[in-house]
Amino acid sequence: LGTPVAATILSGICVLGVACVAWITPSAYNYLTGIALFGGILVWIAILVSHIRFRARHKVDALPVRSPLFPYAQILGIGLLCAILVTMGFDHTFWDVAWIVGVPWLVVLTGIYLLLRSRTRRIRPAAVGFVVD
């Protein structure tokens, strides 16, 4: 559907920002790793929650893929990922950077999402050119 120009520009700006932070502090790599680790764990928690909700809404017999340990494996996975997050917060050698950097990053991304969502909700589908049959 085309080149994601805005996403490419934003990614480039973020890379330049990280490079600038690397000049300021030698811990820049730790900050970037913390954001990635914190985000990755939250994404996997969201995936497991989505899987639980998806299978709860659909008839199990109609689904082509079986999940024999459902929902126990997903709940166990969520619990283990939460335990990893909590443990990382108490480790003051390296892993607490994920909390120090990850939580503000999550707040910033959530704020941007809510801001953009409120702007797009003001636009009516008819004004954009959608035709409903």
Side-chain angles (χ1 to χ4, degrees):
L1 297 175
T3 306
V5 177
T8 304
I9 291 171
L10 181 62
S11 296
I13 291 170
C14 290
V15 168
L16 287 174
V18 169
C20 291
V21 171
W23 284 333
I24 298 169
T25 177
S27 300
Y29 181 76
N30 293 351
Y31 297 146
L32 186 60
T33 304
I35 289 173
L37 183 63
F38 191 83
I41 290 174
L42 288 182
V43 165
W44 272 105
I45 290 172
I47 289 169
L48 292 171
V49 169
S50 298
H51 187 238
I52 290 170
R53 294 190 64 190
F54 174 82
R55 292 191 74 87
R57 288 188 179 190
H58 293 80
K59 293 182 179 180
V60 176
D61 297 334
L63 297 175
V65 177
R66 302 292 171 240
S67 183
L69 298 176
F70 177 81
Y72 306 109
Q74 291 76 11
I75 293 170
L76 177 65
I78 292 169
L80 290 173
L81 289 170
C82 289
I84 290 170
L85 281 176
V86 169
T87 304
M88 287 171 32
F90 289 117
D91 182 3
H92 298 295
T93 56
F94 172 75
W95 297 112
D96 61 340
V97 172
W99 277 96
I100 294 168
V101 181
V103 172
W105 183 248
L106 181 64
V107 169
V108 167
L109 289 181
T110 302
I112 292 171
Y113 167 76
L114 293 173
L115 179 68
L116 293 176
R117 189 182 80 168
S118 68
R119 286 185 177 179
T120 57
R121 286 190 174 211
R122 290 185 214 154
I123 300 172
R124 293 184 181 167
V128 180
F130 292 112
V131 178
V132 179
D133 291 331

